[in-house]
Amino acid sequence: MEYLFLALALGLALSFEFVNGFHDTANAVATVIYTHSLKPNIAVVWSGCWNLIGVLTSTGAVAFGIVALLPVELVINVGSSAGFAMVFALLISAIMWNLGTWYLGLPASSSHTLIGSIMGVGLANSLLSSGHVFGEGVNWAKTQEVFTSLLVSPIVGFTCAGLLLLLAKRLIHRPELYRAPEGNKTPPPWIRALLILTCTGVSFAHGSNDGQKGMGLIMLILVGIIPGMFALNMDTDARAIAQLAATSNSVIPVLQQQVSGTFSNNQNITDELSNFLKPTGEANDKTFAALAAKSRTIGDKLAGKTSFKQLPSDGLSSLRTDMYLVAGTIGKLDNQKKLTDAKQEEVLISYKKQLDKVTKFIPNWVKFAVAIALGLGTMIGWKRIVVTVGEKIGKDHLTYAQGASAELVAMTTIGAADYFGLPVSTTHVLSSGVAGTMAANHSGLQVDTLRNILLAWVLTLPVCVLLGSATYAGSLYLVFNLLGLK
């Protein structure tokens, strides 16, 4: 049964990235196709290759940034029926909305779609679980951080692309750059090279940012279903394990300086740290005492071990949960400025980095699978979104300079977001960039198209919250209860 769920969950995760290719990667090839710089078939293959490179060289920060939005109790119990329901609900609701907007040719945001679904699952979980306050399941601080990037990025795209076009007109006096393509004639070589370069940059940046969203969910699936292989980075060497065990023990006296009591019950320790990691959680003496006790537990479990393979499957799961709670607690304490002693902060942050190395990892085969799904999605479903971006945003045909300006800004914005671990929407940045160049060029904007796009952007969040809530409740109480899963 578990392998059936594994196949279904991985299929849904890769389907999400496949549909993501319809929306987001299609934006990257819109300008080179509409300026006849590359033929459509060549453009989508080229873009797919650079998406692959972007995914393979990504840091994973965005992937685990998405995971940080999920309710902590579902993340640490991802192998339970509630954990499976969470993953299925996220993916099904996101795919449904993405397919609907793609069919209408509306370049909606896959980032908004996924985050709205996550919020829906969090709200439903807090409503349906006993002992929870409604809304407690949503990481509001992280959500605010993500939505700030999603809100600001289209404004940056519109403004910067328009300004870049105006600057190019002032500095580059080449009339052919500012004319629409004539028939099927290819642009001059230097313009063609510029447009291919910007297409390459957007594809690479998209792979390194958007491609990570599916990777984070795939890792949750693998950890929940086959923890013996993926709960921890099994390639960690004996030296790193010994260092982690030593550090786990060395931080205990540092933490105990701030507390007078201790914890003896492991469940109480887990509950204390889990409650602190909730959005409403506040630090106190018990938090530091629980952190010290959990660190001792980690040190004890790793004592004398030279490989994680020496631990049983259930032992790997519990150890990963311990590490996730400790690393998350240290991170939140640091964000809340509760680590007031400089030496304490240095020791604990170093400890967190060691823990993250063995829990926040993404195998290369996962990256390849996501990249291939993105590329195939672009090759099969690119046309609807490309037509909207190339023909329906402005009243005039896209010029070479407009395409290059929009893509150069998109490439830079998405690359910066990847560096800071922020999930931004390729769709929002590039579509708003094209609109910005049309406005700066006085080409005119097609109000009906812009209204439909903005309506899709506005509706994405509430619709996906509702879809996420409904699919989570349905899968948890109808499917899993009927199957008798725990």
Side-chain angles (χ1 to χ4, degrees), residues 19-20 22-28 30 97-98 100-113 154 382-390 392-393 425-432 434 449-458 460:
V19 177
N20 191 0
F22 294 176
H23 277 73
D24 292 20
T25 316
N27 288 277
W97 182 249
N98 274 351
T101 51
W102 165 80
Y103 182 78
L104 296 173
L106 298 175
S109 167
S110 295
S111 299
H112 266 132
T113 301
W382 60 270
K383 195 167 186 178
R384 289 180 183 272
I385 303 300
V386 167
V387 168
T388 298
V389 173
K392 297 182 179 180
I393 291 179
S425 168
T426 303
T427 302
H428 284 192
V429 178
L430 189 59
S431 298
S432 58
V434 171
T449 299
L450 291 179
R451 182 178 63 246
N452 290 338
I453 291 175
L454 288 173
L455 184 62
W457 290 2
V458 170
T460 293

Side-chain angles (χ1 to χ4, degrees), residues 9-155:
L10 289 179
L12 281 173
L14 293 175
S15 296
F16 168 75
E17 291 298 347
F18 180 79
V19 177
N20 191 0
F22 294 176
H23 277 73
D24 292 20
T25 316
N27 288 277
V29 298
T31 55
V32 290
I33 290 174
Y34 266 90
T35 56
H36 309 301
S37 298
L38 287 175
K39 291 183 179 180
N41 291 340
I42 297 175
V44 294
V45 172
W46 179 258
S47 177
C49 290
W50 282 97
N51 264 281
L52 170 62
I53 296 171
V55 170
L56 292 177
T57 57
S58 61
T59 61
V62 173
F64 295 106
I66 288 292
V67 172
L69 294 173
L70 298 168
V72 62
E73 65 270 20
L74 293 183
V75 174
I76 63 177
N77 295 302
V78 70
S80 65
S81 60
F84 287 132
M86 170 188 69
V87 173
F88 283 122
L90 293 178
L91 295 171
I92 291 171
S93 55
I95 289 170
M96 288 171 62
W97 182 249
N98 274 351
L99 281 176
T101 51
W102 165 80
Y103 182 78
L104 296 173
L106 298 175
S109 167
S110 295
S111 299
H112 266 132
T113 301
L114 185 58
I115 292 168
S117 300
I118 288 172
M119 291 180 66
V121 169
L123 292 172
N125 182 64
S126 64
L127 181 64
L128 298 173
S129 301
S130 60
H132 283 68
V133 178
F134 180 67
E136 189 180 46
V138 179
N139 187 336
W140 295 109
K142 189 70 179 178
T143 301
Q144 182 180 9
E145 175 187 317
V146 170
F147 270 101
T148 299
S149 69
L150 291 172
L151 178 64
V152 171
S153 56
I155 299 173

Side-chain angles (χ1 to χ4, degrees), residues 47 66 134 162 164 171 201 203 282 321 329 337 356 366 371 373:
S47 177
I66 288 292
F134 180 67
L164 184 59
L171 299 179
S203 300
E282 295 292 336
T321 296
T329 300
K337 309 298 182 186
D356 286 343
V366 172

Side-chain angles (χ1 to χ4, degrees), residues 26 39 47 49 148 161 199 205 224 248 314 331 336 396 417 421 424 438 464 480:
K39 291 183 179 180
S47 177
C49 290
T148 299
C199 167
S248 298
D314 57 345
Q336 293 185 347
D396 295 336
V424 297
M438 292 291 179
C464 289
F480 288 100

Side-chain angles (χ1 to χ4, degrees), residues 364-429:
N364 282 334
W365 72 264
V366 172
K367 295 183 178 183
F368 271 105
V370 166
I372 291 170
L374 273 173
L376 289 175
T378 307
M379 293 176 194
I380 293 171
W382 60 270
K383 195 167 186 178
R384 289 180 183 272
I385 303 300
V386 167
V387 168
T388 298
V389 173
E391 294 181 3
K392 297 182 179 180
I393 291 179
K395 292 182 178 179
D396 295 336
H397 197 293
L398 195 72
T399 67
Y400 304 127
Q402 288 173 324
S405 297
E407 290 213 320
L408 188 60
V409 169
M411 175 180 70
T412 306
T413 304
I414 299 165
D418 181 47
Y419 178 80
F420 290 106
L422 298 173
V424 297
S425 168
T426 303
T427 302
H428 284 192
V429 178

